[in-house]
Amino acid sequence: MTERYDLIVLGGGAAGLTAALYGARAHLKTLIIDTGTPGGQMNLTYKVANYPGVLEASGADIVMTMRRQAESFGARLLSHAEVAEVALTGAEKSVVVEDEGTFVAPAIILAPGAMPRTLGLGSEARFQGRGISYCATCDGDFFTDQDIAVIGGGNSALEEAVSLTKFASSVTIIHEFDHFQAQPWAVEQAKKNPKIRFLMEQTVKDFEGEESLTAVISEHKRTGEVTRTPVSGVFLFIGYVPNTGWLREKIDINERGEILTDESMKTSVAGVFAAGDARQKRYRQVTTAVSDGAIAAIAASEYVASLAA
Amino acid sequence: MLNTNLQHIESVEQYEQLIASGAKVAVVCGRMGPMCVPVYSVMDALKSNYPDVNFYDMDFDTAVAMQTIRRLPETNGFMGLPFTVYYKDGGVVAATSSIQNKKQVKEILDGRLSP
Ligand SMILES: Cc1cc2nc3c(=O)[nH]c(=O)nc-3n(C[C@H](O)[C@H](O)[C@H](O)COP(=O)(O)OP(=O)(O)OC[C@H]3O[C@@H](n4cnc5c(N)ncnc54)[C@H](O)[C@@H]3O)c2cc1C
């Protein structure tokens, strides 16, 4: 079964939901297809305090409102969609979703965002939920009075390490370089905390344990010295990667996997626009994602109108 | 009460009756947190494809959770929210800890919870 739309938005995070809201409000028949949970990274944010017009709210609450707003203008949302194929060339773009059918539209906005980077070790998946976590606020209290480690060296890693000292008896920060990428104030806060110790220039090699995690094995990058750090919990904050692997042969992207656009969010393919964290840009915030989404939808509606003229 | 589109388990009696009925049940026990919200959302998306399965949530910080799911031998050692427990014929057939995607949930529904 093939269903026709004026605009398809791939990705239902801040950028995609905003694009859909603008598209639907411009009377474009709009479909959002999300391969995961609508809201994307906003769902990972307990408290957003820098989204203008909202004093403070959980990311999940903002998602709920954005989604309702887009749907109230007529946008349709398919979540947890299993996308089998995306064709971007030609006058008609198409997306095949398993169990749902084929969706076609003259314009498409790519807003697939980014996801937490993982180390890619087999043992990492084995201990997820049994010692390995990506969310300090969610799982910190499971490690009360226990020794834990935080892997990473950016702001998130250092800030979360400090917050985890409320629960844990010690926090070892394991980082790959001899310096931190975090802001100086975050580094200073961590260094001042007596429960935090640092293991620098390390490559994490493995996670050990039986039923649950018992240690992290790492190796010094220059000397090769192997360290076994006994811990019952590990929190990973090692950055984000754009969800664009599937776009490599379809549009122009840079060496970091970010989609190249002009300032109207047009990509290298006519009728294909991009918005949000998956795009090449300097600052990644909810405000910049919604701005991209609005611009992309306005540009897409102009494009669709130009086809009819 | 959790702000999800799933049915809620709010008392021990409700839980016991549900499990004792022998029905196929999936319970996501968590908070409104970043690792839990995606699992509620997956269950919500799968509801219509699995009409024979009863999808519920349970607030992790309530007495019912402490007296039921948090005490199960199957969740012993879990250190990541949510705790998701699947039941059939009055017993636990699978349990997972932390975030799960649609594929992982479907594997259990099609495998351990299938007739
Ligand atoms: C822990 C954390 C805290 C943060 N705190 C703040 C903050 O306080 N303030 C702030 O302004 N910003 C914050 N940010 C950044 C902000 O959340 C992001 O910049 C913004 O949400 C990005 O939105 P997006 O729509 O571009 O991408 P995402 O939010 O990543 O959304 C992308 C969506 O696309 C879907 N998707 C992925 N691949 C595909 C595909 N192939 N097809 C279809 N759909 C796909 C995903 O499931 C997802 O729903 C935070 C980020 C994190 C991780």
Side-chain angles (χ1 to χ4, degrees):
Chain A
M1 186 191 65
T2 299
E3 266 185 71
R4 264 166 217 292
Y5 282 83
D6 298 317
L7 176 64
I8 294 174
V9 181
L10 279 180
L17 289 172
T18 308
L21 153 64
Y22 271 72
R25 196 155 184 251
H27 300 299
L28 297 181
K29 189 181 173 199
T30 302
L31 173 70
I32 314 164
I33 300 174
D34 197 305
T35 51
T37 306
Q41 292 172 66
M42 280 192 295
N43 290 315
L44 303 177
T45 316
Y46 252 100
K47 229 184 258 172
V48 178
N50 56 0
Y51 187 60
V54 177
L55 214 48
E56 196 175 274
S58 73
D61 280 344
I62 298 178
V63 170
M64 208 96 78
T65 313
M66 279 189 184
R67 178 176 171 169
R68 235 181 278 141
Q69 221 173 343
E71 286 176 332
S72 74
F73 287 112
R76 179 184 168 205
L77 172 66
L78 276 184
S79 62
H80 302 284
E82 286 163 42
V83 174
E85 202 182 306
V86 178
L88 299 179
T89 49
E92 205 160 60
K93 325 295 176 196
S94 68
V95 182
V96 180
V97 180
E98 264 167 38
D99 302 331
E100 298 284 348
T102 302
F103 302 94
V104 297
I108 195 160
I109 295 174
L110 307 172
M115 62 176 178
R117 191 186 293 279
T118 61
L119 290 168
L121 301 170
S123 50
E124 183 177 352
R126 186 154 74 88
F127 291 116
Q128 186 181 328
R130 292 183 171 273
I132 291 185
S133 174
Y134 303 88
C135 177
T137 328
C138 309
D139 300 332
D141 58 349
F142 288 113
F143 301 96
T144 301
D145 298 329
Q146 297 181 39
D147 297 317
I148 63 168
V150 163
I151 299 177
N155 269 6
S156 302
L158 271 71
E159 283 181 62
E160 298 292 18
V162 170
S163 88
L164 283 163
T165 59
K166 281 187 291 192
F167 306 105
S169 43
S170 80
V171 178
T172 303
I173 296 179
I174 302 176
H175 185 40
E176 61 177 325
F177 303 118
D178 62 356
H179 62 279
F180 291 106
Q181 287 76 48
Q183 302 280 330
W185 57 263
V187 178
E188 197 186 323
Q189 234 186 357
K191 283 190 169 160
K192 271 198 326 219
N193 193 307
K195 284 187 172 179
I196 295 181
R197 71 181 195 105
F198 300 90
L199 209 48
M200 305 297 284
E201 293 184 77
Q202 301 290 313
T203 303
V204 175
K205 290 291 196 189
D206 204 7
F207 297 104
E208 271 184 12
E210 293 292 326
E211 276 292 288
S212 48
L213 182 75
T214 51
V216 185
I217 311 298
S218 62
E219 184 183 281
H220 195 278
K221 286 180 106 167
R222 280 183 297 114
T223 65
E225 185 189 344
V226 173
T227 305
R228 184 178 182 279
T229 309
V231 287
S232 49
V234 165
F235 289 78
L236 277 107
F237 303 104
I238 50 175
Y240 286 80
V241 278
N243 290 317
T244 55
W246 57 286
L247 284 168
R248 213 157 268 287
E249 306 298 322
K250 299 184 193 290
I251 51 165
D252 287 353
I253 55 180
N254 69 16
E255 67 291 350
R256 290 188 298 277
E258 300 159 344
I259 303 168
L260 302 180
T261 66
D262 67 9
E263 62 174 25
S264 327
M265 309 296 148
K266 287 184 188 142
T267 68
S268 55
V269 177
V272 180
F273 303 81
D277 279 15
R279 198 171 75 80
Q280 173 175 287
K281 62 178 181 178
R282 177 106 188 254
Y283 302 112
R284 290 183 166 78
Q285 288 284 285
V286 177
T287 47
T288 62
V290 301
S291 163
D292 286 359
I295 295 168
I298 293 168
S301 70
E302 281 174 8
Y303 174 81
V304 172
S306 76
L307 297 176
Chain B
M1 196 166 57
L2 297 166
N3 183 11
T4 77
N5 289 331
L6 304 177
Q7 304 177 76
H8 314 295
I9 295 182
E10 292 175 290
S11 70
V12 176
E13 298 75 61
Q14 184 194 0
Y15 170 88
E16 282 173 349
Q17 274 175 18
L18 189 65
I19 307 309
S21 73
K24 295 178 189 174
V25 182
V27 185
V28 186
C29 179
R31 298 175 175 140
M32 285 312 289
M35 299 293 126
C36 302
V37 170
V39 186
Y40 305 135
S41 168
V42 166
M43 297 295 182
D44 185 34
L46 288 173
K47 266 190 322 202
S48 55
N49 297 347
Y50 294 87
D52 57 331
V53 180
N54 299 280
F55 292 92
Y56 281 87
D57 68 32
M58 184 190 281
D59 187 333
F60 188 79
D61 297 304
T62 55
V64 54
M66 282 169 213
Q67 289 167 42
T68 60
I69 284 184
R70 292 176 67 170
R71 274 212 198 142
L72 290 171
E74 290 84 356
T75 64
N76 184 21
F78 279 9
M79 286 182 286
L81 290 181
F83 295 1
T84 305
V85 186
Y86 301 83
Y87 305 82
K88 196 175 119 181
D89 301 329
V92 174
V93 291
T96 62
S97 174
S98 192
I99 192 166
Q100 302 285 302
N101 60 30
K102 188 176 172 187
K103 188 166 168 254
Q104 292 168 313
V105 172
K106 272 177 78 174
E107 258 167 33
I108 295 176
L109 294 176
D110 294 337
R112 312 273 188 92
L113 232 60
S114 67

